[in-house]
Amino acid sequence: MKSPSFLSLVAADLRRRFGTDMSRVAVVFPGKRAALFFGEHLLPQDDASPAEAAVRAPRYFSIDDLYHTLTPLTEADPIEVICRMHRLYTELTGSTETLDAFYGWGERLLSDFNETDRAMAPVERLFRNLADIKQLDTLDHIDEERERVLQSFFHDFSLERNNEIRQRFLELWNALFPLYTRLAATLAENHLAWNGHLKRDAVQRLNSGQVSLPQGIDHYAIVGFNALDATDRAIFDHIDRSGQAIFYWDYDQWYAGPKTTGEAGLFIRQNLQRYPNALPPDVFRNFNAKKEVEIVAAAGNGLGTRSAAQWLRQQLTPDARQTAVVLCDERMLLPLLHVLPAEVNQANITTNITRGYPLLHTRTYARLMRQLDSEERTTDIIAALDHLTEYISSDAREQSAPLVGSDEPVATDDILESEARFVAFTTLNRFSRLVRSGLLHVDFATLRRLLLQVVRQASVPFHGEPATGLQIMGMLETRCLDFDHILILSADEGTLPPSSSTASFIPLLLRRAYGLPTPAYQGAVSAYNFYRLIQRAGHVRIVYNASTGGHGRGEMSRFLQQLMVESTLPIRHLTLTAEAGLNPWQPQSVAKPADLRQRLTRLSPSAINTYLRCPISFYLKYVLKVKEVVKTEGIVSPNIFGNVFHASAEGLYRHLADRRDGWIMPDALRTIRTDDLLPFVERAMADEGLPPTPLVRSTVARYLQNLTRYESRGDAFRLWGTETEVEHEFTLPQSGHKVTLHGFIDRLDRLSPLPGMTGNGVYARILDYKTGGKPERVKTLDQLFTPAASHPHYALQTFIYALLVARLHPECEAIRPELFFVVHATADDYTSQIYYDEHPLLNFLPLADAFEFRLLNLLEEIFDPEIPFSPTPIVSHCRSCPFQYLCTPARKPEG
């Protein structure tokens, strides 16, 4: 027999208590979503009499709605809060940190302030009495993670320098209480507050009698909560003391009964003791009832996500609302949407995504970044923001999807991009408002770094009608809801539960002492959400990534291990591989779109290398504009690290050139010390929105030292340009199509003339920095245009730059392309010169015409409508392809 859902039990109990007139009842939920489902359970049965059919509905509140009825304050925009915080922080401490460098700290501080307020912690005692804690004498409370956090404040933080760091930590800590109080007061003057402070203010007003609960309500049904903040408990206590409260807790006796001790029931057991449940215990014995449970080990998250199509064909319930796909990793949202079977796209079924999709992974983000770069020379910040806003608005008008309700189908991508444009538009408007109000006074470079930090963290809410159709959601959104059939994807350790972050300036011992959330708290919340979700289901499939390749740990969530050991459920174990007959998508050739020439009017050397590596990858990235999934390892991703090195080198060499009328002298390079390089590195890190982490800072400085020492052994040269943009339009000989090739040259130098050159001739050197990879040798020009597992793509890129310089600067009598690999430069025999046909290439110009002939032939192939975009035959390329989640592991390399 199917167990009644939690919401139906609550609805039945309310009908029993109040009949059909619930107009003076308020139902309070943790969020807004459950109320949309709850209303259906209050509707009369089909055989109800006319009198029973006339139900006067209750009022619905989310817990946040209830707080807002108790205070005149409005929740402030977090960006505005951090802008105000930065201004106050510099006044209090005399710090010279720029807003963009402070922003990451501000987010951490605001998070600490929020948690402090929601815990109703005594702020002055918390922030002023740290010096009295005996443990501080040895800094035992500072673990490795918190040391990294403090490094974002203190550039040279080290636990080994105990006394100095103790003093500096105390100086920071002592500023937090005045910062908290002045920030709260400044916001309150404008009737604003951050979220936690708004809640504390509401509780204080309620307890002091300044405000009362909403009028016209006699009873409050408090439904489906789990972990309660101190502010929540204060409001619930007030309602309970008034005799108006009815509490409905959702749980199961298996993990939250009186004799259990597991983390999943930690908060429910506390709540049941404090506020007895209105529902009897017997209705909460469903977990070990008959149900199908499958735990599936998938060879990669991509394969696990694609398996959802076959699962939905078999398990989609007649009422699609009773089927849910739960994503533990939001990055799998778009791949999931692309594999939904036709059964999900029928007219009577819709899909609802409540978990936000990262704006970073949308085409809108890429377009916004390009437009942002085009504004970099502006001095009028308001005008730049207006231009960006208008760009997004015009893009929305040009790309707008058909209206909902029209007969024309709307692609999921179109809806997602439409929502992404709205998020980008509102974010830009937030910045514009702050600039116009005078709260944000920065130059364009700082504004750009701030925008990047905010936009990179933004997510796109993606909603349909929540009470209809197949439900696709994150774990948090499942609160209070029950489903018959459930598919949980990416149930890996580190994802379920999420890896806990201790990016806080409040030590763990103080967090425990004052009731602030700890990693154990977060784990208990995730455990409850997981077990509660599956307790009444009839069929559950849980998929985890068993692959240790790439970034996978190959480890199932500990919740699955607990399920296997502690429950009495019969669990079926399955292994999902590409050969398992699930028909994964095999990459196929794709016909070129008719408007390819209009889409691709400009190409970079990177685009050409991508085409040679894999035409399908080129099609996805440059034709369809699919955003790459950026994966990071360790402290900073390789591409960001490369940006920091390039910017540091640019700043250093411009500085040296300015001192000697453009000349870079070997003796000046020989005298450079590591300390001389640090200011250039720190400025570059700030430009990338990175805290000056000592490890990154010292590594980049060491690589810069490799560069200066290497070049100090050579001759003097004159700096011609850094990050120089070059472009030239070529006419393809067969089709007559015009294509512009463009790129940015890391460094362009003028060298002393070669023997035989005229006195007025220019000897140019193109130097491209590489923070990864290894030196390449080129045997023939044909090798550059022939796909291969070890294709010399760095050399091809530099040769294209040389061709562009040759066509743009006919005064050059010689052009020398070079590649500087920073990691390999310490070898005694290292040279940045490129070897061609076993000899150093001192002059590219004799090769220019033959190289251009082959390059234009390749461009003819790219634009030839008769030649489709085909997957690479070199399957090893797929291992590092950013789009591998779209077409591998269907292409599993042999061996």
Tab-separated table of all heavy atoms in Angstrom, residues 23-39:
chain	number	residue	atom	x	y	z
A	23	SER	N	-9.528	30.208	6.916
A	23	SER	CA	-9.168	31.581	6.580
A	23	SER	C	-8.367	32.266	7.684
A	23	SER	O	-7.697	33.267	7.429
A	23	SER	CB	-10.428	32.394	6.277
A	23	SER	OG	-11.321	32.377	7.391
A	24	ARG	N	-8.440	31.754	8.913
A	24	ARG	CA	-7.687	32.362	10.010
A	24	ARG	C	-6.512	31.462	10.443
A	24	ARG	O	-6.052	31.510	11.581
A	24	ARG	CB	-8.616	32.664	11.196
A	24	ARG	CG	-9.722	33.655	10.835
A	24	ARG	CD	-10.549	34.042	12.041
A	24	ARG	NE	-9.787	34.817	13.017
A	24	ARG	CZ	-9.584	36.141	12.952
A	24	ARG	NH1	-10.103	36.830	11.924
A	24	ARG	NH2	-8.901	36.773	13.891
A	25	VAL	N	-6.078	30.627	9.491
A	25	VAL	CA	-4.930	29.748	9.716
A	25	VAL	C	-3.800	30.192	8.790
A	25	VAL	O	-4.035	30.471	7.614
A	25	VAL	CB	-5.286	28.274	9.458
A	25	VAL	CG1	-4.051	27.383	9.589
A	25	VAL	CG2	-6.394	27.810	10.394
A	26	ALA	N	-2.599	30.249	9.314
A	26	ALA	CA	-1.410	30.511	8.503
A	26	ALA	C	-0.566	29.245	8.468
A	26	ALA	O	-0.333	28.619	9.502
A	26	ALA	CB	-0.606	31.668	9.062
A	27	VAL	N	-0.134	28.861	7.282
A	27	VAL	CA	0.748	27.704	7.127
A	27	VAL	C	2.138	28.233	6.772
A	27	VAL	O	2.302	28.948	5.776
A	27	VAL	CB	0.234	26.746	6.041
A	27	VAL	CG1	1.115	25.498	5.980
A	27	VAL	CG2	-1.210	26.363	6.297
A	28	VAL	N	3.133	27.898	7.598
A	28	VAL	CA	4.496	28.407	7.440
A	28	VAL	C	5.402	27.274	6.981
A	28	VAL	O	5.487	26.229	7.641
A	28	VAL	CB	5.024	29.001	8.761
A	28	VAL	CG1	6.418	29.609	8.553
A	28	VAL	CG2	4.053	30.048	9.307
A	29	PHE	N	6.064	27.472	5.833
A	29	PHE	CA	6.963	26.476	5.254
A	29	PHE	C	8.403	26.998	5.276
A	29	PHE	O	8.632	28.214	5.355
A	29	PHE	CB	6.583	26.172	3.801
A	29	PHE	CG	5.265	25.465	3.636
A	29	PHE	CD1	4.138	26.152	3.191
A	29	PHE	CD2	5.149	24.114	3.915
A	29	PHE	CE1	2.933	25.500	3.020
A	29	PHE	CE2	3.952	23.454	3.748
A	29	PHE	CZ	2.836	24.150	3.306
A	30	PRO	N	9.390	26.105	5.145
A	30	PRO	CA	10.789	26.560	5.048
A	30	PRO	C	11.040	27.427	3.814
A	30	PRO	O	11.863	28.330	3.841
A	30	PRO	CB	11.589	25.251	4.974
A	30	PRO	CG	10.683	24.203	5.538
A	30	PRO	CD	9.297	24.632	5.212
A	31	GLY	N	10.347	27.117	2.707
A	31	GLY	CA	10.473	27.890	1.474
A	31	GLY	C	9.119	28.056	0.819
A	31	GLY	O	8.086	27.677	1.368
A	32	LYS	N	9.125	28.592	-0.400
A	32	LYS	CA	7.863	28.885	-1.082
A	32	LYS	C	7.316	27.694	-1.863
A	32	LYS	O	6.128	27.613	-2.136
A	32	LYS	CB	8.070	30.059	-2.049
A	32	LYS	CG	8.419	31.367	-1.357
A	32	LYS	CD	8.597	32.481	-2.382
A	32	LYS	CE	8.957	33.804	-1.717
A	32	LYS	NZ	7.877	34.341	-0.874
A	33	ARG	N	8.188	26.764	-2.241
A	33	ARG	CA	7.797	25.731	-3.195
A	33	ARG	C	6.719	24.800	-2.648
A	33	ARG	O	5.757	24.454	-3.360
A	33	ARG	CB	9.031	24.929	-3.594
A	33	ARG	CG	8.780	23.890	-4.667
A	33	ARG	CD	10.073	23.186	-5.039
A	33	ARG	NE	9.838	22.204	-6.063
A	33	ARG	CZ	9.764	22.471	-7.360
A	33	ARG	NH1	9.899	23.714	-7.775
A	33	ARG	NH2	9.562	21.516	-8.249
A	34	ALA	N	6.829	24.406	-1.374
A	34	ALA	CA	5.898	23.424	-0.828
A	34	ALA	C	4.466	23.935	-0.843
A	34	ALA	O	3.520	23.147	-1.004
A	34	ALA	CB	6.317	23.059	0.601
A	35	ALA	N	4.268	25.252	-0.686
A	35	ALA	CA	2.907	25.798	-0.658
A	35	ALA	C	2.178	25.549	-1.963
A	35	ALA	O	0.950	25.358	-1.991
A	35	ALA	CB	2.962	27.299	-0.365
A	36	LEU	N	2.904	25.517	-3.088
A	36	LEU	CA	2.271	25.301	-4.390
A	36	LEU	C	1.700	23.890	-4.499
A	36	LEU	O	0.702	23.669	-5.178
A	36	LEU	CB	3.293	25.550	-5.500
A	36	LEU	CG	3.843	26.987	-5.567
A	36	LEU	CD1	5.056	27.049	-6.472
A	36	LEU	CD2	2.766	27.946	-6.042
A	37	PHE	N	2.353	22.934	-3.844
A	37	PHE	CA	1.850	21.559	-3.847
A	37	PHE	C	0.793	21.346	-2.769
A	37	PHE	O	-0.130	20.545	-2.944
A	37	PHE	CB	3.008	20.586	-3.612
A	37	PHE	CG	3.943	20.445	-4.782
A	37	PHE	CD1	4.946	21.372	-5.001
A	37	PHE	CD2	3.819	19.389	-5.663
A	37	PHE	CE1	5.809	21.255	-6.078
A	37	PHE	CE2	4.675	19.250	-6.747
A	37	PHE	CZ	5.666	20.190	-6.956
A	38	PHE	N	0.947	22.068	-1.676
A	38	PHE	CA	0.072	21.837	-0.533
A	38	PHE	C	-1.383	22.182	-0.850
A	38	PHE	O	-2.311	21.485	-0.392
A	38	PHE	CB	0.556	22.665	0.654
A	38	PHE	CG	-0.227	22.435	1.915
A	38	PHE	CD1	-0.125	21.228	2.596
A	38	PHE	CD2	-1.076	23.407	2.418
A	38	PHE	CE1	-0.839	20.999	3.754
A	38	PHE	CE2	-1.791	23.196	3.582
A	38	PHE	CZ	-1.680	21.985	4.254
A	39	GLY	N	-1.598	23.224	-1.620
A	39	GLY	CA	-2.966	23.643	-1.920
A	39	GLY	C	-3.802	22.543	-2.540
A	39	GLY	O	-5.013	22.438	-2.262
